[in-house]
Amino acid sequence: MKPLPEQRGEHPKKNTESSPGEMHSEEPKTAPGNLSAGKTTTSETEVPAQLNGLTLAHDVIDPTSQPQFDSRPPSPAPPPDAHPPRDQWGGKYEFLLSCIGYCVGLGNVWRFPYLCYRNGGGVFLIPYFIMLFFTGVPLFLMELSLGQYGAAGPITVWKCCPLLKGIGIGMLCVSTLVCLYYNVIIAWTFYYLGSSFQSPLPWSCSAISNAGLCGNGTALNGSSVKSHLSPTEVFWNERVLGVVHSKGLHDPGPVRWPLAICLLIAWVIIFLCMLKGIRSSGKVVYVTATFPYVVLIVLIIRGATLEGSLQGVAFYLTPDWERLASAQVWNDAASQIFYSLGIGVGGLLSMASYNKFDNNVIRDTLIITIGNCSTSFFAGFAIFSILGHMAWRKNVPVGKVADTGPGLAFVAYPEALALLPGSVFWSILFFLMLFMLGVDTLFGNMEGITTAVLDEFPQLRRNMKHKSLFLAALCFAFYLMGLLLITDGGIYWFTLIDSFSTSFGLIIITLFMCLGIAFFYGVNQFCQDIIDMICRCPPWCTKVLLYFKACWVFCTPFLLLFILTYIFIEMYNTSLHYGEYVFPRWGKALGVCMGATCCLQIPIWAIVAISKESGTLRDRFRKAIRPLNSWRVNNLNSEGAGERVEPERVEAPFTVNLTDMDFTAMTWENGTQA
């Protein structure tokens, strides 16, 4: 008789040799958890036999029995305790709005306009849209499709290619750094929100304490040092940050306890949102995803009526072509695409894993990415119209009217609100909008972390008490680490983490994800998986996939490699600074170590995956890129899954005795011997 194919661990056996560029795997024969549970004996009292670590059925090991591979009943469903049911979105619009709320966040309000302002205005739009269409949209679709098809978080989803499990670990590292400083922005917003209940606003010229700062010729001390500062800048630097009391990165100073209370409240809110799950949070996004547009329209209308607003808009749209030769511009464009769309941090993978199997990911990708980037461009007009007015009042160029970093939103926007009629009401409304945007986005980042951990340790998902304790410990740990960022010198540490967490490390992670799916898993197989998910795939979807296939194989990796090369060439020639403070060499080296820690997870876990295999190095590599048996069975979660479970097979080298009935019931190949 011809022996059955050899089975290696959890991996399905391929009939032909596979190449790194293609994925030749069989459809799995068992549902998750059935490798051991499904192989039962016909008698409860009989001890099941073991062969190569597998439990064999009685009718296989008994020489007098008939091997009924094709007539065996379907495998029983896995027990509920082994694989607890996975939540799903309450409706198709909940996922769409949740992704829009996750992507359209604080970055659209303060990061994108700030990067435009720092990189010469409108010239930044050129690399931004190039990176969007050739890297952002293809990678966004890749993450959504991978998470939805695998129905798993950023770590477990790499069952499709165990060699690349380090990509998921690296995503977790990036997400941890982002969550660490992102909630500090929410704490600043919460502080401004509380201060907005004062009348007049503490950063307006109507406040008595700001009488000497508003240029009325009634300066209290006649100081020329502060004559060029606005009340909003003084409020931001002195009362909120306290940066005037710190000498630099080496001198963080004491914790600012008003901010510590705001940070604690922010993490408590995040903890409560995470406990409610995706079903309840999907209802909240109906407000958080639409409310920001109302406030931005109001700010644009008000900004257009201010003197000098056209000067700011001209600075926003007029490109400085010489800036295109700077690696910083292209690096900022790539990092903003990843930062704004949430690529490479695991949030998209996790949210897509709760989708129904037949959700149209191509449609969602186009809606979310175009809507997100249009919002960033839209918010830029609100920012630069106010900057133009500030420049007109100070009689200085537009490029010198605001601080760097997030201070743009906390300097320019508060001044705009102080100029509006009923400024107290609009200030409360605006910072409430920022607070909701921040919480919504941070919820997606935290979802990436928790989903990854819960998928790796499913017992936490089954026990609500254990899940609550895990979330509480995670949020409290983030709170303790975040205290460093709300000291007098915390803005320096904030700038350091912000500059390197979404820089070269994130680009390397997404580069390996793109190459791994395109060449290890197989770009043709991946496109077929997308078509399988879109049951009624319209003709335009198939044509669009040709564009995405070209991007995944050629355009996206080429652009990412080009940016990486350009970044590494000029990395040590460009100084990192906040305002007039230039970061020391050791501080910049610390930031490089942060980015390197994230991307070094890829080779570390690749070595671990190869070391677990047997055979020559080439054989180990081939086995490490094959998907596990539990891959592709997650589509059984769709409707009618229980009827499509395939008969169970034992794939192991063993022999059986055949009877006459076997030869009359089966058609054998020529040369097969009993």
Side-chain angles (χ1 to χ4, degrees), residues 398-558:
V398 179
K400 296 183 179 180
V401 296
D403 258 334
T404 59
L408 185 64
F410 297 102
V411 173
Y413 268 49
E415 183 160 341
L417 298 173
L419 298 174
L420 292 172
S423 57
V424 173
F425 170 76
W426 290 111
S427 180
I428 294 174
L429 204 62
F430 173 74
F431 287 110
L432 183 61
M433 177 201 71
L434 289 186
F435 185 73
M436 289 190 300
L437 282 177
V439 168
D440 202 22
T441 302
L442 188 58
F443 172 76
N445 288 325
M446 287 290 293
E447 188 65 41
I449 298 177
T450 56
T451 301
V453 176
L454 294 179
D455 285 347
E456 291 293 307
F457 304 97
Q459 61 272 18
L460 294 176
R461 195 187 298 273
R462 292 194 301 265
N463 193 311
M464 187 61 185
K465 180 180 178 181
H466 292 170
K467 179 183 177 182
S468 302
L469 292 176
F470 163 71
L471 288 176
L474 183 64
C475 293
F476 186 68
F478 273 124
Y479 172 73
L480 293 180
M481 292 186 291
L483 291 177
L484 175 63
L485 306 184
I486 55 175
T487 58
D488 289 340
I491 187 63
Y492 300 126
W493 288 95
F494 175 92
T495 304
L496 182 68
I497 299 176
D498 178 38
S499 299
F500 287 96
S501 63
T502 56
S503 182
F504 70 93
L506 184 61
I507 295 178
I508 291 177
I509 290 175
T510 53
L511 173 62
F512 274 87
M513 180 183 69
C514 184
L515 293 176
I517 294 297
F519 296 100
F520 290 170
Y521 184 78
V523 67
N524 292 328
Q525 179 63 59
F526 189 67
C527 291
Q528 183 60 46
D529 293 344
I530 297 177
I531 295 176
D532 291 342
M533 287 189 294
I534 308 175
C535 299
R536 299 174 180 85
C537 185
W540 65 268
C541 285
T542 306
K543 296 179 181 179
V544 169
L545 278 178
L546 297 177
Y547 161 74
F548 288 121
K549 185 184 296 186
C551 290
W552 291 328
V553 174
F554 177 74
C555 298
T556 302
F558 175 78

Side-chain angles (χ1 to χ4, degrees), residues 1-5 51-52 56-65 67 69 650-658 668 673-674:
M1 163 185 172
K2 191 175 182 179
L4 294 181
L51 180 60
N52 292 350
L56 302 182
H58 175 74
D59 60 347
V60 174
I61 62 174
D62 189 356
T64 62
S65 63
F69 294 108
V650 177
E651 299 185 55
F654 65 93
T655 59
V656 296
N657 294 328
L658 302 178
W668 295 87
Q673 298 178 355

Side-chain angles (χ1 to χ4, degrees), residues 307-363:
E307 189 74 23
S309 60
L310 293 180
Q311 180 184 355
V313 174
F315 181 83
Y316 177 49
L317 297 178
T318 303
D320 181 7
W321 297 102
E322 295 181 357
R323 293 289 294 166
L324 289 177
S326 173
Q328 188 67 39
V329 176
W330 293 89
N331 178 41
D332 287 344
S335 63
Q336 173 59 20
I337 287 294
F338 297 145
Y339 184 93
S340 180
L341 294 178
I343 298 173
V345 296
L348 293 174
L349 268 169
S350 300
M351 289 192 293
S353 68
Y354 299 106
N355 266 340
K356 294 182 179 179
F357 183 76
D358 58 352
N359 180 63
N360 192 330
V361 289
I362 298 180
R363 176 203 60 197

Side-chain angles (χ1 to χ4, degrees), residues 261-342:
I261 296 176
C262 294
L263 184 63
L264 178 62
I265 296 175
W267 276 116
V268 169
I269 294 177
I270 293 297
F271 171 74
L272 296 177
C273 290
M274 297 298 296
L275 278 182
K276 293 180 180 180
I278 60 172
R279 291 185 177 272
S280 58
S281 64
K283 305 298 186 295
V284 179
V285 296
Y286 284 98
V287 176
T288 59
T290 56
F291 182 71
Y293 293 95
V294 177
V295 180
L296 287 177
I297 291 174
V298 172
L299 290 175
I300 289 179
I301 294 175
R302 178 53 178 158
T305 62
L306 298 175
E307 189 74 23
S309 60
L310 293 180
Q311 180 184 355
V313 174
F315 181 83
Y316 177 49
L317 297 178
T318 303
D320 181 7
W321 297 102
E322 295 181 357
R323 293 289 294 166
L324 289 177
S326 173
Q328 188 67 39
V329 176
W330 293 89
N331 178 41
D332 287 344
S335 63
Q336 173 59 20
I337 287 294
F338 297 145
Y339 184 93
S340 180
L341 294 178

Side-chain angles (χ1 to χ4, degrees), residues 29-335:
K29 306 306 178 185
T30 59
N34 285 353
L35 289 178
S36 59
K39 299 173 178 58
T40 59
T41 62
T42 56
S43 174
E44 296 181 357
T45 60
E46 184 176 353
V47 180
Q50 300 288 330
L51 180 60
N52 292 350
L54 298 176
T55 303
L56 302 182
H58 175 74
D59 60 347
V60 174
I61 62 174
D62 189 356
T64 62
S65 63
Q66 300 175 3
Q68 303 172 352
F69 294 108
D70 296 333
S71 60
R72 295 173 72 179
S75 302
D81 293 337
H83 292 274
R86 192 179 188 84
D87 292 335
Q88 286 189 343
W89 297 101
K92 60 181 180 180
Y93 295 109
E94 290 188 9
F95 168 73
L96 188 64
L97 290 177
S98 296
C99 283
I100 292 177
Y102 169 67
C103 296
V104 180
L106 296 173
N108 300 80
V109 175
W110 69 263
R111 188 179 175 95
F112 178 81
Y114 154 61
L115 292 178
C116 279
Y117 150 73
R118 189 176 75 174
N119 292 298
V123 71
F124 182 73
L125 299 177
I126 298 175
Y128 179 76
F129 283 105
I130 290 177
M131 298 301 300
L132 169 66
F133 289 112
F134 291 101
T135 60
V137 177
L139 291 173
F140 194 93
L141 175 62
M142 177 174 286
E143 279 207 48
L144 286 190
S145 303
L146 194 60
Q148 180 172 310
Y149 193 84
I155 297 180
T156 311
V157 78
W158 292 104
K159 294 179 295 184
C160 66
C161 184
L163 182 74
L164 301 178
K165 184 179 180 180
I167 294 178
I169 306 294
M171 287 181 175
L172 235 61
C173 295
V174 174
S175 185
T176 299
L177 292 175
V178 172
C179 290
L180 178 62
Y181 77 86
Y182 202 90
N183 216 11
V184 174
I185 305 175
I186 300 178
W188 294 337
T189 305
F190 200 81
Y191 185 87
Y192 270 85
L193 179 62
S195 301
S196 299
F197 285 92
Q198 305 177 33
S199 182
L201 294 174
W203 57 81
S204 66
C205 287
S206 301
I208 299 178
S209 59
N210 298 328
L213 301 174
C214 295
N216 297 325
T218 57
L220 297 180
N221 53 12
S223 174
S224 60
V225 177
K226 291 188 178 181
S227 60
H228 66 285
L229 296 178
S230 65
T232 53
E233 292 173 306
V234 174
F235 183 84
W236 167 248
N237 289 318
E238 295 185 6
R239 293 188 57 179
V240 179
L241 297 181
V243 68
V244 294
H245 306 297
S246 175
K247 298 179 181 179
L249 197 64
H250 64 284
D251 181 29
V255 174
R256 301 186 67 81
W257 292 109
L259 286 181
I261 296 176
C262 294
L263 184 63
L264 178 62
I265 296 175
W267 276 116
V268 169
I269 294 177
I270 293 297
F271 171 74
L272 296 177
C273 290
M274 297 298 296
L275 278 182
K276 293 180 180 180
I278 60 172
R279 291 185 177 272
S280 58
S281 64
K283 305 298 186 295
V284 179
V285 296
Y286 284 98
V287 176
T288 59
T290 56
F291 182 71
Y293 293 95
V294 177
V295 180
L296 287 177
I297 291 174
V298 172
L299 290 175
I300 289 179
I301 294 175
R302 178 53 178 158
T305 62
L306 298 175
E307 189 74 23
S309 60
L310 293 180
Q311 180 184 355
V313 174
F315 181 83
Y316 177 49
L317 297 178
T318 303
D320 181 7
W321 297 102
E322 295 181 357
R323 293 289 294 166
L324 289 177
S326 173
Q328 188 67 39
V329 176
W330 293 89
N331 178 41
D332 287 344
S335 63

